[in-house]
């Protein structure tokens, strides 16, 4: 769950494979869990989930989504030499079995970090060239998830064990502590966490270690 200054983990699923079937089922499970607790405004997925079957799953759940795309030659051909932004209709499709197709809107905006390059997305939102940049900026909220993984690592116990179940348990426990840390900052700031949380992970970890569980 992403909000300004806040990244909260509602669910964790371990992928045993990297195929589209596994990703589709993962997205379905995560959406069903999220809908139990929050009102979903937008679903943001990185390009690792840019697959027609995953997007079809989003359509079945009737949610607004923005998915980072891997641009094909057909997509890139829509961006003329003198245009910085493109918004167009596009058909995602898989011709091999199991076949699937989903009509979407494809849009591209200039990449901030690399001049002359573009970032591509697909969505079911109604866009104009003027609003495309605004939605691309909104999508950047998702990129804050990567720093949150580093913060989860601040609570992750070290283990030499190669056993998957042990390592998964440690990670899930770290996620639980991370969520408690986020909630503690929400309470301290009365719901508005600034760019730098008032309670650091180091201070919170010390507090947890000193707590009496007896």
């Amino acid at each position: 769950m992403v909000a300004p200054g806040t990244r909260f983990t509602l669910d964790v699923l371990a992928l045993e494979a990297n195929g589209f079937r596994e990703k589709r089922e993962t997205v379905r499970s995560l959406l069903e869990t999220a809908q139990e607790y929050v009102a979903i405004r937008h679903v943001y997925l990185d390009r690792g989930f840019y697959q027609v079957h995953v997007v079809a799953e989003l359509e079945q759940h009737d949610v607004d989504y923005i998915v980072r795309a891997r641009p094909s030659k057909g997509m890139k051909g829509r961006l003329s030499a003198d245009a910085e932004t493109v918004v167009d209709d596009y058909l995602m499709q898989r011709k091999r079995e199991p076949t699937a197709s989903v009509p979407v809107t494809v849009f591209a905006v200039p990449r901030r970090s690399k001049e002359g390059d573009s970032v591509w997305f697909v969505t079911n939102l109604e866009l104009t060239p003027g609003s495309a940049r605004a939605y691309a900026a909104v999508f950047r909220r998702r990129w804050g998830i990567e720093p949150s993984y580093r913060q989860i690592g601040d609570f992750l116990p070290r283990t030499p064990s190669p056993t998957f179940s042990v390592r998964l348990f440690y990670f899930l426990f770290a996620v639980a502590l991370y969520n408690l840390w986020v909630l503690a900052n929400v309470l301290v700031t009365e719901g508005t966490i600034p760019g730098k949380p008032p309670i650091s992970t180091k201070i919170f970890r010390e507090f947890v270690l000193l707590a009496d569980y007896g």
Side-chain angles (χ1 to χ4, degrees):
M1 184 177 69
V2 297
T6 307
R7 307 291 181 267
F8 191 83
T9 305
L10 289 174
D11 196 6
V12 177
L13 292 178
L15 275 173
E16 296 182 2
N18 198 37
F20 72 86
R21 292 179 179 86
E22 291 78 14
K23 290 182 178 180
R24 179 185 61 195
E25 293 304 315
T26 296
V27 168
R28 176 186 299 172
S29 177
L30 292 173
L31 283 174
E32 290 174 350
T33 299
Q35 288 173 330
E36 293 181 16
Y37 301 102
V38 298
I40 297 176
R41 185 176 181 184
H42 298 123
V43 174
Y44 309 128
L45 294 180
D46 205 0
R47 57 186 175 184
F49 289 91
Y50 178 64
Q51 295 173 333
V52 62
H53 289 88
V54 172
V55 174
E57 189 65 38
L58 295 171
E59 290 282 350
Q60 290 184 15
H61 278 79
D62 193 28
V63 294
D64 292 336
Y65 59 83
I66 303 176
V67 182
R68 177 83 179 273
R70 295 191 184 95
S72 63
K73 291 182 178 179
M75 284 186 186
K76 293 181 178 180
R78 299 163 189 257
L79 189 61
S80 60
D82 58 346
E84 290 188 338
T85 304
V86 62
V87 176
D88 206 352
D89 295 333
Y90 186 73
L91 182 66
M92 292 184 65
Q93 56 183 332
R94 175 188 167 97
K95 296 182 179 179
R96 292 180 297 167
E97 293 291 340
T99 61
S101 62
V102 181
V104 297
T105 296
V106 61
F107 70 101
V109 299
R111 187 188 297 271
R112 295 192 303 171
S113 59
K114 188 175 180 181
E115 188 175 350
D117 199 6
S118 300
V119 185
W120 293 80
F121 306 89
V122 294
T123 182
N124 61 343
L125 297 167
E126 294 185 7
L127 300 184
T128 64
S131 64
R133 291 195 184 206
Y135 278 108
V138 169
F139 183 87
R140 292 191 188 102
R141 293 179 181 177
R142 198 219 68 84
W143 295 335
I145 293 174
E146 277 69 25
S148 76
Y149 281 128
R150 292 195 293 272
Q151 291 165 333
I152 289 172
D154 291 342
F155 300 107
L156 187 63
R158 295 183 179 181
T159 175
S161 174
T163 305
F164 175 75
S165 58
V166 172
R167 301 180 72 88
L168 178 61
F169 172 79
Y170 279 3
F171 178 75
L172 294 176
F173 188 75
V175 170
L177 290 177
Y178 165 82
N179 279 346
L180 285 175
W181 170 70
V182 172
L183 290 174
N185 279 287
V186 169
L187 292 173
V188 168
T189 58
E190 297 183 352
T192 304
I193 299 179
K196 185 177 180 180
I199 304 174
S200 68
T201 55
K202 181 179 180 180
I203 292 175
F204 188 78
R205 190 171 61 243
E206 291 296 325
F207 170 78
V208 171
L209 291 176
L210 291 173
D212 182 3
Y213 296 102

